[in-house]
Amino acid sequence: MITIIPEAPENVAAFNATGEVTKEDFENLVFPRVKAKIEQFGELNYLMYLDTDLNNFTAGAWLEDALLGLKNLTKWNRAAILTDNQHVQNFTEIFSVLMPGEFKSFPKGNLYNALYWCKNGNEVEA
């Protein structure tokens, strides 16, 4: 299931993935929210907090996630993926080189720093 992270800054489409993630989660929640943010701000600042194992994403969910990237290819500004999975963190860093915009992984304990980065393009000073 995907839910909206309510404390996200206005210019960030932020989501929490828990349990099983389906194609309908993307169609009914993610796509409309992303579309609204792009229409409002002209770019996409995106955050996904992965609080579930990647095996819990159905095949349809993976396809919809890929479609989200392709449909909005020129609108990506910043995207943060929060996970403690080292493979996903490495993939995100590699993906950043291939896609327009900035992609960055954060450990799950750094939600507020990731939200700040998505909004502003820099991190909170420690």
Side-chain angles (χ1 to χ4, degrees):
M1 172 166 97
I2 294 180
T3 56
I4 292 171
I5 297 175
E7 58 269 23
E10 184 64 24
N11 71 331
V12 178
F15 305 96
N16 185 31
T18 59
E20 183 180 60
V21 177
T22 66
K23 172 183 175 181
E24 290 75 21
D25 290 322
F26 281 90
E27 290 175 346
N28 298 329
L29 183 68
V30 176
F31 285 174
R33 184 95 169 159
V34 163
K35 182 180 179 195
K37 295 295 181 184
I38 291 172
E39 287 174 357
Q40 184 177 3
F41 296 100
E43 64 186 14
L44 179 57
N45 295 312
Y46 179 89
L47 181 141
M48 179 64 76
Y49 188 101
L50 293 174
D51 203 17
T52 189
D53 191 272
L54 292 180
N55 294 332
N56 290 329
F57 277 69
T58 66
W62 282 114
L63 290 173
E64 291 298 319
D65 189 35
L67 182 60
L68 173 68
L70 294 175
K71 282 174 53 174
N72 298 293
L73 190 61
T74 62
K75 300 297 183 182
W76 286 100
N77 186 40
R78 285 183 289 278
I81 306 298
L82 281 96
T83 180
D84 290 334
N85 181 312
Q86 189 63 47
H87 297 297
V88 175
Q89 291 174 356
N90 292 341
F91 178 80
T92 302
E93 300 304 320
I94 292 167
F95 195 67
S96 182
V97 175
L98 304 173
M99 288 285 288
E102 298 177 71
F103 286 71
K104 189 169 183 163
S105 65
F106 291 84
K108 289 186 344 184
N110 284 359
L111 173 62
Y112 291 103
N113 197 24
L115 287 167
Y116 186 86
W117 176 80
C118 280
K119 176 183 179 186
N120 301 300
N122 52 16
E123 295 184 47
V124 176
E125 298 287 325

